Amino acid sequence: MKLSVYNTIIEIMHKHNSRDCLPLIVKEFPDFSISTIGSIYAQDYQKKMRKTHHIHYNPMKMEMYYEQYLEGVQNKERHILLKIANGIELSPALLARMILERYLSSTKYGGENPPRSYVTKLMKDNTLINDPMLASEIHECLVSDDHYGPHVDNIKQSIGHEHECKLNRILDSLNLAYIGEDQMRTRGFDKTPDVKLEVPFSVDGHVINWIESKASFGDEYSHRGYLKDQFWSYWNRFGPGMVIYWFGFIEELDTDREKGIILSDNFPENIVRMNPIMK
């Protein structure tokens, strides 16, 4: 996807400010799947949450949101947290966690912050929350949030695993020998790609020693982070390799081919195998 097309898609999303625009975008840009457009929308939404994080996560704001929730409970309202989240344009799951932390602080920890691990445990299993009303409100936020929360994390993990299996099936069908992350860790490697080829192949003249599978769209923010935290580490340990962004990527980001990292949106058909017989 060209950067200009990506920017146009983002503009449409900002104009509508709702996932309802995704089918409209797919209709206007039929070359891209709903999965690609959905991934772009999710990444843009998360950028927005990061930018506004400091606005919501300060003691005064958090106390105000908690008081609004308590007032709604007193008035026997329903969908209290969802209404607050929509009003302040904050992820329902993030607000739910915020309110849960404030509730635990006031009822269980004497004004101190509760342990993050305990909050996470209650977010994953709302039946452990002693207040039935709060448990119901938090559950409603989690099932209504398409971008944050334990349910979304499980879905993302499942999709990621599905595409890793897809990559493995392709390699198996081509009779390409490889080892996975678990095998690499047993050999002492800490940062590992999804696949390390036992015998490299080449794509367009570029040698490929490893492959990383990403079940997402490759935008500038995510790709820059992956380069810093993962890809260059793989390159340093295993040599040149390939990243597959299964939902596409901004073409202008594919600038490190000569350095040893190429980008693709599928498994290439034009691979050249190493032939040890030839000299």
Side-chain angles (χ1 to χ4, degrees):
M1 179 184 294
K2 293 291 186 181
L3 179 60
S4 58
V5 174
Y6 172 81
N7 288 334
T8 300
I9 290 174
I10 290 295
E11 288 176 6
I12 297 174
M13 290 178 176
H14 289 177
K15 179 181 178 181
H16 289 268
N17 198 29
S18 168
R19 290 184 65 89
D20 295 340
C21 69
L22 301 191
L24 300 176
I25 296 175
V26 172
K27 186 175 181 180
E28 185 170 345
F29 298 94
D31 291 339
F32 306 111
S33 68
I34 189 68
S35 297
T36 294
I37 303 303
S39 182
I40 294 173
Y41 184 90
Q43 290 171 339
D44 188 65
Y45 182 86
Q46 290 161 4
K47 289 177 190 175
K48 179 181 177 181
M49 292 301 102
R50 286 190 292 267
K51 287 180 180 178
T52 59
H53 180 276
H54 67 283
I55 297 175
H56 304 291
Y57 285 79
N58 68 74
M60 290 184 61
K61 286 286 188 180
M62 293 172 70
E63 182 65 23
M64 183 180 73
Y65 301 150
Y66 187 59
E67 291 295 331
Q68 288 179 7
Y69 166 72
L70 294 179
E71 183 179 349
V73 173
Q74 188 175 7
N75 295 333
K76 298 182 179 180
E77 297 178 15
R78 298 181 62 187
H79 319 301
I80 305 168
L81 293 184
L82 277 182
K83 290 176 184 176
I84 296 174
N86 291 334
I88 62 177
E89 295 187 338
L90 179 64
S91 154
L94 295 182
L95 176 66
R97 186 181 180 99
M98 185 190 303
I99 297 300
L100 178 59
E101 289 175 350
R102 183 64 185 81
Y103 165 79
L104 293 173
S105 175
S106 63
T107 61
K108 190 178 177 71
Y109 289 93
E112 298 296 323
N113 293 328
R116 291 182 60 84
S117 59
Y118 183 61
V119 178
T120 299
K121 181 180 180 181
L122 267 58
M123 289 290 288
K124 290 182 178 180
D125 186 355
N126 310 143
T127 63
L128 298 176
I129 300 173
N130 292 330
D131 185 327
M133 178 69 173
L134 180 59
S136 176
E137 286 281 329
I138 288 177
H139 177 73
E140 185 178 38
C141 285
L142 296 180
V143 299
S144 301
D145 198 319
D146 294 321
H147 308 291
Y148 287 94
H151 303 323
V152 174
D153 292 340
N154 289 337
I155 292 171
K156 287 181 179 178
Q157 185 177 10
S158 177
I159 294 173
H161 181 67
E162 176 187 343
H163 284 81
E164 289 173 15
C165 290
K166 178 179 179 179
L167 173 60
N168 292 342
R169 287 195 301 270
I170 293 173
L171 294 172
D172 291 340
S173 70
L174 294 173
N175 293 319
L176 293 169
Y178 64 93
I179 58 175
E181 291 180 278
D182 293 339
Q183 293 168 291
M184 281 182 275
R185 291 195 178 101
T186 62
R187 300 184 183 184
F189 296 106
D190 53 350
K191 289 189 176 183
T192 58
D194 292 311
V195 164
K196 167 69 173 66
L197 297 169
E198 295 283 62
V199 179
F201 60 73
S202 70
V203 177
D204 297 329
H206 301 282
V207 175
I208 304 299
N209 291 287
W210 53 267
I211 306 173
E212 178 72 3
S213 170
K214 292 296 183 187
S216 62
F217 182 84
D219 68 350
E220 182 179 4
Y221 180 88
S222 61
H223 183 63
R224 186 169 64 244
Y226 287 140
L227 279 171
K228 178 182 177 182
D229 299 333
Q230 297 181 351
F231 302 160
W232 287 124
S233 296
Y234 304 160
W235 176 88
N236 187 51
R237 287 169 173 79
F238 306 113
M242 174 173 65
V243 180
I244 301 179
Y245 283 112
W246 294 103
F247 298 156
F249 60 93
I250 298 174
E251 294 178 19
E252 286 83 348
L253 296 177
D254 193 14
T255 58
D256 295 306
R257 285 180 165 249
E258 299 307 318
K259 297 178 183 178
I261 298 176
I262 73 172
L263 306 184
S264 180
D265 59 6
N266 53 48
F267 192 89
E269 297 181 357
N270 60 330
I271 67 169
V272 178
R273 302 168 185 254
M274 177 181 292
N275 189 341
I277 299 177
M278 297 180 63
K279 296 183 178 180

